[in-house]
Amino acid sequence: MSTELPPLPSAATPEVVEIERALTRITYLSTRARQHDRLMTLAGVPLDRAAVALLRQVADSEPLRPGELAQRLGVEASHVTRTVQQLQKSGYVTRVPDPDDGRAQRIELTDAGRAAIERVRDAGARGMQLALSDWSPEELRQLAVLFNRMVDDFLSHSLEDEPEQPAAAPRA
């Protein structure tokens, strides 16, 4: 099985360029500190962006080891450790024994953590509903189908999932 990456196209089509621009804009809009603060106020959840990202990840999966969380979030393990400590002190997560390795622990949502992430998701969905209120149900269905397809395709073509290249041989 070849580990070579397929060649990139020589140029992106105008449609792809426009999609990339729109995604950049929406990413910027959705990650602004002011937007996050507004969402947290609406949800009644006093958490920073890193804590919300970690809660979302834990809510979307089975309990994970801190290292697995760091990998999925694309951050250093030390960031996860600090965020987990903050969330544990606030009562949103707990550490549970890893059934595969008694020495390791996994991070799991508490009831308070599940309630918090549900409020965050609800506040975000209500904001999105307001923004898309002029869209027809059919347009919303099409967007959902196409957006999920795009995410699936991004994941299947992710360069991060490619095996690492072998290290260069040491010099003699």
Side-chain angles (χ1 to χ4, degrees):
M1 186 165 130
S2 174
T3 60
E4 289 185 30
L5 296 175
L8 290 173
S10 59
T13 65
E15 296 83 4
V16 169
V17 169
E18 203 53 41
I19 292 167
E20 191 277 334
R21 284 181 183 155
L23 285 174
T24 299
R25 288 177 58 210
I26 200 162
T27 300
Y28 169 76
L29 291 171
S30 67
T31 59
R32 292 184 311 180
R34 188 172 40 190
Q35 178 68 17
H36 173 80
D37 293 344
R38 182 171 179 262
L39 179 63
M40 293 303 100
T41 299
L42 289 171
V45 178
L47 295 173
D48 63 29
R49 287 184 278 184
V52 172
L54 193 143
L55 278 182
R56 284 180 186 268
Q57 185 60 59
V58 173
D60 290 341
S61 64
E62 72 283 348
L64 297 169
R65 291 181 182 187
E68 294 169 320
L69 279 168
Q71 183 179 15
R72 289 187 182 196
L73 294 168
V75 298
E76 297 292 324
S78 60
H79 295 303
V80 167
T81 299
R82 283 191 300 272
T83 304
V84 166
Q85 289 170 348
Q86 170 197 352
L87 290 169
Q88 198 169 9
K89 285 179 187 173
S90 300
Y92 293 117
V93 300
T94 188
R95 294 174 186 267
V96 296
D98 185 330
D100 300 328
D101 181 352
R103 300 167 297 169
Q105 294 182 326
R106 293 180 183 230
I107 309 306
E108 181 176 78
L109 290 180
T110 62
D111 289 342
R114 277 187 284 284
I117 202 62
E118 187 176 310
R119 288 193 310 270
V120 168
R121 287 179 170 163
D122 181 60
R126 284 185 283 134
M128 190 172 291
Q129 182 70 48
L130 180 62
L132 300 174
S133 63
D134 292 335
W135 289 47
S136 73
E138 180 56 29
E139 289 171 321
L140 292 172
R141 272 191 292 280
Q142 287 176 342
L143 178 63
V145 167
L146 293 173
F147 200 80
N148 279 302
R149 179 179 169 191
M150 183 178 68
V151 170
D152 290 344
D153 287 348
F154 279 4
L155 289 172
S156 71
H157 291 89
S158 173
L159 296 178
E160 291 180 0
D161 293 338
E162 293 295 323
E164 289 188 30
Q165 297 298 318
R171 292 184 183 192

